Amino acid sequence: MQDLAGDPDPIEIGPRLSDQLELHGISRRGFIQFALGLTAAMGLPFGMAGRVLAAIEETQGRPAVIWLHFQECTGCTESLLRATHPTVESLILDLISLDYSETLLAAAGRQAEQALAESIARNQRRFILVVEGSVPMRDGGIYCKVARKTPQQMLHEIAPQAAAVVAIGSCASWGGVQSAAPNPTEAVGIPEAFAREGITRADGAALPVITLPGCPASPYNLLSTVLYYLTLQKLPALDAKGRPLFAYGRLIHDHCERRPHFDAGRFAEQFGDEGHRQGWCLYKLGCKGPETHANCPAIEFGDVGGNTWPVGIGHPCFGCTEQGVGFHKALHEQAEVESVAPPALFPDVFAEHPGGATLASAALAGAIGGGALVYAVGAGQRLRAAEAAEAARSSAVDQPKTESEPR
Amino acid sequence: MTEVYRPLGGRLLTREFYFLGVIVLIGAYFTLRRFLFGIGAVSNLSDGFPWGIWITYDVVTGTAIACGGYAMALLVYLFNRGQFHPMIRAALLTSVFGYTLAGASIIVDVGRYWQLYNVFLPQYMNLNSVMLEVALCVTLYTLVLWIEFSPAILEAMRAKRALRLVRHGLFFFIGLGILLPTMHQSSLGSLLIIAGHKVHPLWQTPIIPLLFLITAIAMGYGMVVFESLYAAVHLGRRLETDLVSRVAAVIPWLLIAYLVIRLGELALSGDLAYLGRPGREPWLFALEMVLFLYATLVLLDPERRRRPTQLFWSALAVVLAGALYRFDAFLIAYNPGPGWHYFPAVGEMMITLAIVAFEVMAYLFFVKKTPILAVAPQTESTLTARASYPEHTTMRGASA
Amino acid sequence: MNIDRRDFLKVALAGATTALTAGSAVARPPRELPPDAVGILYDATLCIGCKACEVACKTTNALPRETDPALEQAKGVQDIWDASRDLDSRTLNKIKAYAQGTAAVKDRDHDGYSFIKRACMHCVDPNCVSACPVRALTKDPVTGIVGYNPDACIGCRYCQLACPFNIPKFQYDKPFPRIVKCEMCRHLQAKGEIPACCAACPTGASLFGRVSDLLEEGHRRLSFKPGEHQDYPIHSLDSGKGRSAEVRGYYPHLYGETETGGTQCLLLAGVPFENLGLPPLGPESSARLSETIQHSLYQGLVAPTLLLGGLVYTVYRRTEAERHDDPGAPTAIKEERRHD
């Protein structure tokens, strides 16, 4: 994805946060802890915490964010609002200028639409477009109209002016629950909508799209993405589906706390049985962890202590982030296990065994063979001498006889 | 013609004897380790190669080498070649120790030796098993050999009564002593049939028992020839070239039969094509054939047969060829699958070497101290002379 | 030639008579699968390589952990505890992986990978049972399980030589060793339970059941089309539990149906079986050939007895003189003929 640090017109951030800590009743310690947590969640080295802190505290100017809602349940917005450190989160939100959000906007109707148009005009090519919800492609998108406009129309108008697009939630990433069979509205995610509608940036370059799937998306992933940009002035590394690698680079299976139970073959067979009570692996109950990319086991939800994620509380993951898994496979259906590199961890069909020749044994065998050969040759030579002696003796014996016999 | 058997005499505790003794002691050390720490502690035997040189050499090849008694019994008692009778005792000496020590190496080789007697218990016997037949047959034959050999010991002990008793019943044991090796020398080959594809097609065949039997008999004659010449070279005994040459004359016919049957069977089954495939097996096969052919060609020629050196090398060739045939079938052309390797370990080789050394030591003891070797045939002119060994006739510097 | 023609003919005739009057050379009939024989169907396309079966097997058979000496030597350290790399005297059941090229796709031969479970195949006509001289390895007449009795075993390791799959393992590192191999958890089956590997398998890759039923199940699966969803039973055919999964596509062969006379443990896979380390075996067990040859020669010890009779008589006639000699005098033998 594009590195916006090279953008000639970098986005600026608003008033210093450090001045407002006391006002909002946040201790400096609590604030630093929060920043450190987010640094870790982004997968940045511990030493960079200082830079993350500085970015939050010191940067100037607030980027404008336009938040569109299409076919969605608004869960992503709600989860952002329900974060357990509301004061700090809202501070982060204070770092951005949320110019348009149908959920949070005080205004309504024409005033709301006017605010949208003004924000776009004022922040040409410098605002972040956050999209929540999928785009219905059937019948031109008439199944989701806001202010008489279809999502396609809105995207054509707004998206080309944006600096970057964040598709938050599974719906915006790949279609989410609306795309479950039979997908009556032909719901697709933003990346696909852009491809099918041919939407690019105003100057023709491709629009950078970050997808943050999840149902709901973890608010911390959004916050981390924003903070990452603020700190480093560039987008985090993304995978082929536009997902930040720091959050979606691993399978849940590969950092699940119940993995040792999977490896040892300890499975819960039914909800409430002995294995379930012991916290054993939920694979047999249909956990999709082995084929789902997300960081739920690491950052969890709700910030209320340990194990606050589905598997942690005893319910199998259903693969909400993963297209083709969430809302597609049955809850009880066993997942495909996409191990990282299985053959490297397994013995080969033909194992090598010891037992061949060593220097010592080869030397001994050689010595025995050599000794036997020398012995045999020696014996052969002695025999030859005996043979010669015998021949000489018999010819000596013969001669007198022939002499005495009459001819 | 009457025969007289006398101890060879001479010093037993020579330098060579002590050297053999040292080898036996080293082997005893490794044998102790085997019993204290397990077979793996001294050998390279593995699950892929469960049988190594202890079985392949000590048992399979060793008993074939010890077929001298059997081969001579065939000649003397079945084909009524009485003039070879004087050679039987010496052949029996090798046989008796060859088989007894094969039994000893079995005790070292099997893992649960304390239950080895289970093969004799009817409630355990599996009549389908080739191994059972081999075990029972070899055990019984070892007993028969000791009985056949006992006259030599009884004569040395001057136990007249016992000697008479033994002589009366000996014919039965001689008969048994021809039947039993016929059975087990062929069955030693049959052991491999169940290994199926693990034995290379150039060796695996349903007629393997016949091939093993023929080569065992040939090796028996080869050893008789070899030992007579050995006694002449190292023990100062006279060369009995005439007799030995006649024994050797049997060998090429056995080998011709073997070669015809072996190659014929390979051609008929289509396995001859394996000679053209890559790998070391065609070369091993060729080496066997070369050794067998060399022995055959030399021993077919009456001129060459009269010369001790030719007899020596061709007898050695027969024994080596037979040994190589067995090593190939059991060990070298045996392939359990990729990843398995076997080369005898130092401890393994020392135990085998010790057993061979012990056998040589026993041979020397008996030949020198008990009446094994027959004296020179009494002719008219020498009847009055002392019946003794003309030690000073041929060999200079003879020792051991 | 020294051998007398008359003598030679006598002997040859005697030998031929014995051979012909000996037991018939009819091949021993192949062994039949017992009707209630039980076995395990392993489906490599369902296997996820979790190795729960290896762990369960070790637990139920109380087998020790093992160190990995090769790895220890390579790293220059001691006591690396890891799963073994092959079946051995502490491991009765092994999951191995076959990888080709990039090994990107499971159950595909080219640039793919597959798992394979190796353990005793519990043959219908076991070579090891035929080979063992003391019946330490026996086949249960009802269940067909090949079991081991250490009280009979002499440790000759003929069973290791005989097994076409190299299954029986031996405790070479112990002074009082025994043979070790999978016995299909017969101690659990006696209590009405199923083998531990099948009980532990989460995906139904290891499936327990009657062999006749498993053969049917195997053929049913061979008729599946890749990509379609099918129901697969887990643990055992009659467990009542199952799962639905996408069919990955089978290599069109049920291994063990005919190999070496048939085996009670059957295999299905997505790749050819020789890639998975299974030997190419014909439909005949070599035990059959071995026993046929052995019995043709020695059935009822008829031929040996006849031969012995002839031999003893001949030798008796020829050693007449020896028996009547004074033991003090040198031994003598009556010469019938003398040839030069």
Side-chain angles (χ1 to χ4, degrees):
Chain A
M1 284 292 159
Q2 213 168 0
D3 180 357
L4 292 179
D7 197 317
D9 223 343
I11 297 161
E12 293 161 331
I13 304 299
R16 284 166 193 264
L17 195 59
S18 48
D19 301 331
Q20 303 184 45
L21 279 178
E22 217 185 296
L23 262 174
H24 293 263
I26 297 166
S27 73
R28 176 125 186 100
R29 190 151 165 256
F31 176 67
I32 291 173
Q33 274 181 335
F34 174 74
L36 284 175
L38 275 185
T39 308
M42 284 189 277
L44 294 174
F46 184 72
M48 286 196 70
R51 283 180 69 177
V52 173
L53 221 45
I56 301 174
E57 295 183 313
E58 322 237 317
T59 40
Q60 309 257 349
R62 301 164 66 189
V65 170
I66 291 176
W67 193 299
L68 297 179
H69 300 257
F70 295 146
Q71 292 188 126
E72 39 79 331
C73 70
T74 318
C76 295
T77 300
E78 293 293 332
S79 85
L80 198 62
L81 296 175
R82 295 288 175 275
T84 48
H85 293 114
T87 326
V88 182
E89 270 71 358
S90 62
L91 275 176
I92 301 297
L93 287 177
D94 282 345
L95 290 174
I96 59 177
S97 171
L98 193 56
D99 288 352
Y100 182 82
S101 162
E102 284 146 23
T103 318
L104 301 173
L105 220 49
R110 282 206 182 77
Q111 284 90 342
E113 293 310 302
Q114 201 168 350
L116 177 61
E118 277 172 17
S119 175
I120 292 170
R122 192 172 59 244
N123 296 299
Q124 286 253 330
R125 291 176 54 244
R126 281 164 57 227
F127 66 90
I128 297 176
L129 177 63
V130 178
V131 181
E132 184 178 348
S134 61
V135 176
M137 296 305 290
R138 176 160 288 160
D139 299 330
I142 58 174
Y143 302 104
C144 173
K145 282 175 114 169
V146 179
R148 294 200 211 99
K149 290 192 185 143
T150 66
Q152 282 86 328
Q153 287 170 310
M154 295 174 75
L155 284 174
H156 273 290
E157 277 177 24
I158 303 170
Q161 315 296 328
V165 178
V166 175
I168 186 162
S170 292
C171 297
S173 300
W174 46 267
V177 63
Q178 300 88 32
S179 68
N183 198 354
T185 63
E186 225 184 292
V188 299
I190 298 306
E192 185 161 345
F194 279 8
R196 280 158 77 153
E197 291 290 313
I199 294 172
T200 60
R201 250 201 338 208
D203 58 6
L207 262 173
V209 180
I210 302 166
T211 60
L212 297 171
C215 186
S218 167
Y220 297 100
N221 287 338
L222 174 66
L223 294 171
S224 302
T225 306
V226 170
L227 217 49
Y228 189 101
Y229 179 75
L230 296 182
T231 311
L232 298 168
Q233 295 295 303
K234 62 175 183 174
L235 290 177
L238 305 171
D239 68 7
K241 295 183 183 178
R243 304 178 294 194
L245 282 173
F246 70 73
Y248 300 92
R250 274 189 291 180
L251 291 166
I252 285 179
H253 188 56
D254 287 338
H255 53 163
C256 173
E257 73 259 20
R258 298 195 180 194
R259 181 61 182 274
H261 292 298
F262 175 90
D263 286 339
R266 293 189 285 262
F267 298 97
E269 308 263 349
Q270 283 187 359
F271 290 110
D273 73 358
E274 184 61 25
H276 195 237
R277 286 171 202 279
Q278 298 279 351
W280 289 358
C281 175
L282 303 172
Y283 177 79
K284 291 179 82 166
L285 290 173
C287 180
K288 304 297 186 296
E291 53 184 350
T292 303
H293 296 88
N295 59 350
C296 315
I299 59 171
E300 297 172 343
F301 297 94
D303 211 10
V304 288
N307 279 10
T308 49
W309 67 295
V311 172
I313 59 160
H315 189 280
C317 161
F318 81 92
C320 71
T321 63
E322 205 70 33
Q323 182 174 20
V325 179
F327 305 114
H328 181 77
K329 290 197 174 179
L331 285 178
H332 60 267
E333 189 176 334
Q334 282 182 6
E336 292 285 329
V337 179
E338 287 176 30
S339 301
V340 175
L345 308 170
F346 287 79
D348 196 25
V349 283
F350 293 116
E352 275 297 309
H353 296 269
T358 61
L359 195 60
S361 59
L364 181 60
I368 294 171
L373 191 64
V374 165
Y375 209 66
V377 169
Q381 282 174 340
R382 296 237 204 119
L383 275 173
R384 193 170 307 133
E387 217 177 281
E390 189 78 24
R393 211 164 38 89
S394 60
S395 64
V397 165
D398 279 341
Q399 278 192 2
K401 271 194 190 156
T402 50
E403 276 175 13
S404 59
E405 270 173 17
R407 304 235 182 204
Chain B
M1 190 183 93
T2 57
E3 294 165 3
V4 182
Y5 295 104
R6 287 264 161 74
L8 196 55
R11 217 180 58 179
L12 180 64
L13 300 177
T14 61
R15 212 176 46 209
E16 278 80 355
F17 196 83
Y18 281 123
F19 177 67
L20 292 169
V22 168
I23 294 181
V24 170
L25 283 174
I26 298 175
Y29 161 73
F30 282 107
T31 308
L32 189 65
R33 279 186 62 90
R34 173 258 174 274
F35 284 108
L36 285 177
F37 304 117
I39 294 172
V42 299
S43 76
N44 270 346
L45 294 172
S46 61
D47 297 314
F49 283 96
W51 289 352
I53 56 164
W54 291 341
I55 296 287
T56 309
Y57 177 74
D58 292 274
V59 180
V60 177
T61 308
T63 54
I65 284 175
C67 269
Y70 167 50
M72 293 311 291
L74 282 172
L75 212 49
V76 172
Y77 295 108
L78 214 52
F79 293 100
N80 204 28
R81 306 312 308 143
Q83 78 256 46
F84 299 121
H85 191 266
M87 304 172 83
I88 280 204
R89 256 194 207 179
L92 274 175
L93 174 62
T94 317
S95 297
V96 92
F97 277 98
Y99 272 85
T100 306
L101 290 170
S105 61
I106 288 275
I107 296 177
V108 170
D109 180 82
V110 293
R112 298 173 71 80
Y113 48 90
W114 62 93
Q115 288 180 169
L116 199 46
Y117 59 84
N118 280 357
V119 290
F120 302 121
L121 301 180
Q123 67 263 32
Y124 287 128
M125 282 189 199
N126 173 16
L127 297 175
N128 292 329
S129 169
V130 181
M131 172 73 85
L132 180 81
E133 186 248 308
V134 171
L136 295 176
C137 220
V138 168
T139 314
L140 193 57
Y141 183 59
T142 309
L143 209 62
V144 165
L145 278 171
W146 277 102
I147 294 171
E148 282 186 302
F149 186 64
S150 61
I153 304 173
L154 293 173
E155 264 179 42
M157 290 162 54
R158 304 195 196 290
K160 292 211 178 88
R161 187 104 57 117
L163 202 55
R164 197 194 338 241
L165 199 67
V166 167
R167 287 239 184 93
H168 256 92
L170 206 59
F171 70 96
F172 177 74
F173 293 101
I174 294 172
L176 212 52
I178 294 177
L179 171 75
L180 293 175
T182 311
M183 287 171 68
H184 70 251
Q185 283 299 330
S186 54
S187 295
L188 280 170
S190 300
L191 281 173
L192 291 175
I193 294 174
I194 206 167
H197 67 277
K198 292 199 268 189
V199 176
H200 191 273
L202 283 173
W203 283 265
Q204 180 65 277
T205 159
I207 60 160
I208 204 171
L210 183 61
L211 297 173
F212 264 67
L213 182 62
I214 298 175
T215 47
I217 299 173
M219 285 165 81
Y221 290 127
M223 279 310 287
V224 166
V225 170
F226 177 79
E227 267 169 25
S228 169
L229 296 169
Y230 171 82
V233 169
H234 287 285
L235 301 180
R237 185 170 157 72
R238 74 183 183 312
L239 278 169
E240 23 179 35
T241 314
D242 191 45
L243 223 50
V244 160
S245 144
R246 285 194 221 152
V247 171
V250 181
I251 297 176
W253 301 106
L254 287 168
L255 295 185
I256 288 172
Y258 167 79
L259 289 168
V260 166
I261 296 173
R262 178 112 191 260
L263 291 168
E265 193 273 335
L266 280 174
L268 283 173
S269 66
D271 286 334
L272 215 49
Y274 281 96
L275 285 173
R277 299 255 185 100
R280 60 184 177 185
E281 288 84 11
W283 297 104
L284 291 165
F285 186 87
L287 185 57
E288 276 178 39
M289 293 294 122
V290 162
L291 288 167
F292 277 126
L293 277 169
Y294 168 74
T296 311
L297 292 172
V298 167
L299 292 173
L300 274 176
D301 181 357
E303 281 299 315
R304 309 270 265 295
R305 219 161 47 221
R306 271 203 275 273
R307 298 176 46 204
T309 37
Q310 296 289 329
L311 282 171
F312 177 77
W313 288 113
S314 48
L316 209 57
V318 169
V319 174
L320 269 175
L324 184 63
Y325 175 56
R326 283 154 174 75
F327 266 78
D328 286 340
F330 272 84
L331 210 52
I332 314 178
Y334 175 83
N335 181 12
W340 294 105
H341 309 285
Y342 175 79
F343 190 85
V346 169
E348 230 174 325
M349 284 192 275
M350 286 317 300
I351 292 179
T352 296
L353 215 54
I355 289 175
V356 173
F358 187 81
E359 190 172 337
V360 176
M361 288 168 79
Y363 176 86
L364 288 171
F365 171 79
F366 273 88
V367 144
K368 290 182 180 176
K369 303 297 178 197
T370 63
I372 300 290
L373 296 176
V375 300
Q378 313 275 348
T379 57
E380 295 294 329
S381 55
T382 58
L383 254 175
T384 47
R386 195 166 47 101
S388 66
Y389 294 101
E391 286 176 51
H392 38 272
T393 357
T394 48
M395 298 282 102
R396 294 261 176 265
S399 58
Chain C
M1 192 34 211
N2 281 338
I3 303 293
D4 182 73
R5 208 177 307 141
R6 190 141 50 118
D7 284 329
F8 180 75
L9 283 173
K10 271 195 213 166
V11 172
L13 203 61
T17 320
T18 352
L20 289 170
T21 53
S24 67
V26 171
R28 184 212 91 190
R31 299 234 185 275
E32 298 286 316
L33 180 73
D36 287 326
V38 289
I40 298 174
L41 172 64
Y42 171 77
D43 189 331
T45 66
L46 298 178
C47 179
I48 55 173
C50 72
K51 302 192 234 175
C53 55
E54 282 192 36
V55 176
C57 175
K58 280 231 177 195
T59 312
T60 194
N61 289 297
L63 290 164
R65 304 168 298 174
E66 35 204 309
T67 55
D68 190 332
L71 202 54
E72 285 173 9
Q73 194 183 46
K75 303 291 179 192
V77 294
Q78 280 198 319
D79 286 340
I80 294 182
W81 298 101
D82 205 344
S84 61
R85 277 168 305 132
D86 199 357
L87 292 169
D88 58 35
S89 59
R90 297 177 187 78
T91 306
L92 309 187
N93 170 31
K94 195 82 212 135
I95 296 290
K96 298 179 171 187
Y98 156 76
Q100 199 284 329
T102 60
V105 177
K106 185 169 180 290
D107 301 313
R108 189 174 74 183
D109 195 14
H110 179 67
D111 279 335
Y113 67 95
S114 171
F115 298 111
I116 181 70
K117 176 172 181 274
R118 298 306 306 272
C120 179
M121 301 291 276
H122 294 277
C123 302
V124 172
D125 192 352
N127 286 14
C128 58
V129 170
S130 168
C132 181
V134 286
R135 281 195 273 190
L137 286 159
T138 49
K139 190 170 176 70
D140 187 292
V142 174
T143 63
I145 295 175
V146 178
Y148 172 70
N149 176 13
D151 292 328
C153 179
I154 59 174
C156 72
R157 309 184 302 281
Y158 192 25
C159 54
Q160 293 197 303
L161 193 96
C163 178
F165 304 103
N166 294 324
I167 291 300
K169 300 295 173 191
F170 192 71
Q171 295 173 328
Y172 287 101
D173 56 345
K174 292 201 160 35
F176 303 107
R178 36 176 299 175
I179 287 283
V180 173
K181 73 165 192 73
C182 157
E183 297 184 50
M184 228 198 277
C185 285
R186 56 192 176 134
H187 61 293
L188 292 180
Q189 289 194 44
K191 294 191 283 185
E193 294 172 32
I194 68 172
C197 55
C198 298
C201 179
T203 61
S206 290
L207 189 69
F208 178 74
R210 291 222 333 233
V211 181
S212 44
D213 298 333
L214 291 175
L215 284 165
E216 258 180 61
E217 173 70 13
H219 283 291
R220 185 179 81 98
R221 294 190 193 181
L222 286 176
S223 69
F224 290 170
K225 306 262 180 310
E228 62 185 18
H229 260 73
Q230 289 286 356
D231 288 323
Y232 290 97
I234 58 174
H235 305 314
S236 62
L237 270 175
D238 56 1
S239 68
K241 299 189 194 159
R243 62 180 279 247
S244 173
E246 190 186 314
V247 174
R248 300 196 64 93
Y250 291 100
Y251 180 75
H253 183 59
L254 179 59
Y255 191 95
E257 191 174 7
T258 57
E259 278 77 1
T260 191
T263 63
Q264 293 178 207
C265 288
L266 305 163
L267 307 172
L268 284 170
V271 304
F273 290 99
E274 52 263 25
N275 296 346
L276 300 173
L278 290 154
L281 294 170
E284 288 261 320
S285 164
S286 47
R288 197 173 168 210
L289 181 61
S290 173
E291 288 180 29
T292 300
I293 291 175
Q294 194 69 355
H295 289 314
S296 303
L297 295 171
Y298 303 119
Q299 186 73 49
L301 285 179
V302 172
T305 312
L306 285 175
L307 193 57
L308 182 64
L311 286 168
V312 168
Y313 174 70
T314 310
V315 176
Y316 182 79
R317 290 276 307 277
R318 299 220 169 116
T319 56
E320 199 76 48
E322 230 172 87
R323 278 196 299 287
H324 296 132
D325 270 349
D326 174 13
T331 53
I333 178 164
K334 189 158 125 188
E335 277 275 307
E336 284 185 13
R337 266 178 305 275
R338 211 199 140 117
H339 296 262
D340 274 301

